[in-house]
Amino acid sequence: MAEPEPEMSSAAEPRVVDNADDHRYELWLDGALAGFIDYTPRHDVVVLNHTEIDLAFEGRGLGSTLIAAAIKDIRDRGLRLFPECSFVQAYLERHPEERDVVLPAPDQKQD
C-alpha cells in the first residue's frame, strides 16, 4: 500500500457555490473565500458583472475555475449569461466552446 502524500495547501479542491442571497458565485479553498463573481439575475439571463480573486490565491488558475463553474451552473439551470466582466469576456475568448450560453450584445449579430 502506498504511503499517503503529504498534505499541501494546494492539494485541496476548490469549491464553487452560488450565494444567491448576495448574488455572487464564490470560490472557497482550504476554508477561505478565494474569489467571487458578482452577478445580476434578470429573468432567464445572468449578468456576470465583476470577478475578483484574492491576492493570496492569484496565479493558480482559480479565476478560470470559478468562471467555468459559474457557466456550468448557468447552463445546467437552462439560463443564458451576459459577460459584462472583462475577465469573463477574456475567458470566453479563450474558450469558444463555452459560448453556447452567452446572450449576444444587442449590437452583435449571431453566427
Side-chain angles (χ1 to χ4, degrees):
M1 182 156 68
E3 294 267 333
E5 294 197 22
E7 286 191 40
M8 300 173 68
S9 62
S10 62
E13 288 294 317
R15 182 174 55 95
V16 177
V17 296
D18 178 6
N19 180 343
D21 290 340
D22 289 337
H23 295 153
R24 67 187 200 173
Y25 287 98
E26 299 175 339
L27 186 139
W28 292 83
L29 184 64
D30 292 334
L33 180 63
F36 61 87
I37 301 175
D38 284 325
Y39 67 81
T40 304
R42 294 194 179 144
H43 305 290
D44 63 345
V45 176
V46 178
V47 179
L48 300 180
N49 302 311
H50 176 72
T51 304
E52 221 173 280
I53 298 296
D54 187 288
L55 290 175
F57 296 95
E58 284 187 347
R60 302 185 197 181
L62 295 175
S64 292
T65 299
L66 175 58
I67 293 168
I71 291 172
K72 180 181 182 325
D73 181 66
I74 292 166
R75 181 183 292 110
D76 290 350
R77 293 171 41 206
L79 303 173
R80 306 287 303 270
L81 75 84
F82 183 78
E84 190 172 275
C85 169
S86 61
F87 192 72
V88 174
Q89 291 169 5
Y91 175 89
L92 289 166
E93 286 295 316
R94 292 188 315 272
H95 298 276
E97 71 279 4
E98 298 278 28
R99 294 186 206 157
D100 61 305
V101 296
V102 175
L103 184 69
D107 60 341
Q108 289 181 337
K109 294 180 183 177
Q110 285 191 299
D111 295 336

